[in-house]
């Protein structure tokens, strides 16, 4: 089983995933597959109030794990809003195990990276709860004002800087 990237029109990721799951019962019989649309929970400030929202990590992409990508592609190519599966010279590119594991470590069963809680110590942060516990080395930048941390994710040798949610438990001055 390998992980692959499906290109879809941005904003239609959930609809395409729904159509794949509901329209292709025959596909389930022929090959096993799993869909993942990685999302992240963030704090956004609107009209003077903070609220938690869920945003997609990679707009326009759906990750799929399947044992037969060619057969899978034949069944989904006619679904609206699907553009293609990432390929080079006719060969579908598999996401490297290390790259997909970096994502799978952080997401929950619903494909969402929940917010982590952290404590400020000078200019650094110590994560006390959440998916980033023990992964402080992956944090590239901290934005305390917007309650976010920047983490780099590699997918097919491309670096995607992603901001994840961070709640400030208390401040140490």
């Amino acid at each position: 089983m390998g992980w692959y990237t499906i290109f879809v029109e941005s904003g239609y990721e959930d609809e395409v995933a729904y159509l794949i799951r509901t329209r292709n019962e025959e596909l389930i019989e022929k090959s096993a597959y799993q869909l993942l649309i990685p999302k992240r929970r963030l704090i956004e400030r609107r009209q003077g109030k903070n609220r938690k929202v869920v945003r997609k990590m990679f707009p326009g992409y759906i990750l799929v794990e399947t044992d037969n990508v060619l057969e899978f592609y034949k069944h989904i190519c006619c679904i609206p809003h699907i553009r293609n599966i990432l390929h080079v010279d006719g060969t579908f590119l598999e996401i490297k195990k290390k790259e997909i594991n970096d994502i799978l470590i952080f997401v929950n069963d619903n494909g969402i990276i929940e917010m982590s809680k952290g404590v400020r110590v000078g200019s650094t942060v110590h994560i006390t709860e959440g998916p980033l516990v023990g992964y402080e080395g992956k944090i590239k930048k901290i934005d305390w004002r917007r309650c976010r941390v920047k983490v780099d994710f590699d997918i097919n040798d491309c670096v995607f800087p992603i901001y994840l949610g961070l709640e400030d438990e208390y401040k140490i001055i």
Side-chain angles (χ1 to χ4, degrees):
M1 298 270 286
W3 284 90
Y4 300 88
T5 306
I6 304 172
F7 291 120
V8 299
E9 288 181 41
S10 188
Y12 290 97
E13 299 88 353
D14 292 318
E15 181 180 330
V16 169
Y18 174 77
L19 290 173
I20 290 171
R21 289 181 183 118
T22 57
R23 285 177 145 182
N24 291 309
E25 285 105 18
E26 66 205 39
L27 180 63
I28 295 170
E29 296 169 8
K30 291 185 179 180
S31 65
Y33 72 93
Q34 176 184 349
L35 298 176
L36 175 64
I37 305 170
K39 299 177 183 177
R40 59 209 163 118
R41 192 171 309 279
L42 300 168
I43 294 177
E44 288 186 354
R45 188 166 185 86
R46 293 238 171 117
Q47 298 175 347
K49 295 183 179 179
N50 288 343
R51 52 183 206 150
K52 291 183 181 179
V53 296
V54 175
R55 298 280 182 241
K56 292 176 184 72
M57 283 179 56
F58 309 112
Y61 297 99
I62 297 174
L63 306 179
V64 61
E65 181 184 32
T66 183
D67 55 355
N68 189 344
V69 68
L70 184 59
E71 194 67 31
F72 181 82
Y73 181 69
K74 286 178 183 176
H75 283 86
I76 68 163
C77 64
C78 62
I79 292 177
H81 309 295
I82 290 180
R83 294 294 172 233
N84 213 334
I85 293 182
L86 184 64
H87 66 281
V88 172
D89 297 330
T91 303
F92 294 109
L93 287 179
E94 184 175 349
I95 301 172
K96 296 174 185 161
K97 298 283 186 218
K98 181 196 178 308
E99 295 171 348
I100 194 65
N101 286 339
D102 286 347
I103 295 171
L104 295 175
I105 287 169
F106 294 122
V107 297
N108 63 15
D109 294 339
N110 298 324
I112 298 174
I113 298 177
E114 294 294 338
M115 295 187 64
S116 295
K117 290 187 179 182
V119 177
R120 294 187 206 194
V121 179
S123 62
T124 63
V125 63
H126 292 287
I127 305 298
T128 58
E129 285 182 45
L132 289 173
V133 169
Y135 292 95
E136 286 87 354
K138 292 185 86 49
I139 296 173
K140 302 297 180 192
K141 181 180 173 184
I142 304 165
D143 186 347
W144 290 108
R145 187 182 65 77
R146 295 179 66 203
C147 302
R148 296 179 184 188
V149 295
K150 179 180 172 184
V151 178
D152 288 341
F153 286 97
D154 295 326
I155 300 227
N156 291 324
D157 298 324
C158 294
V159 177
F160 291 88
I162 303 292
Y163 283 93
L164 301 177
L166 177 67
E167 293 181 279
D168 196 6
E169 286 187 334
Y170 52 86
K171 299 176 184 177
I172 298 175
I173 300 175

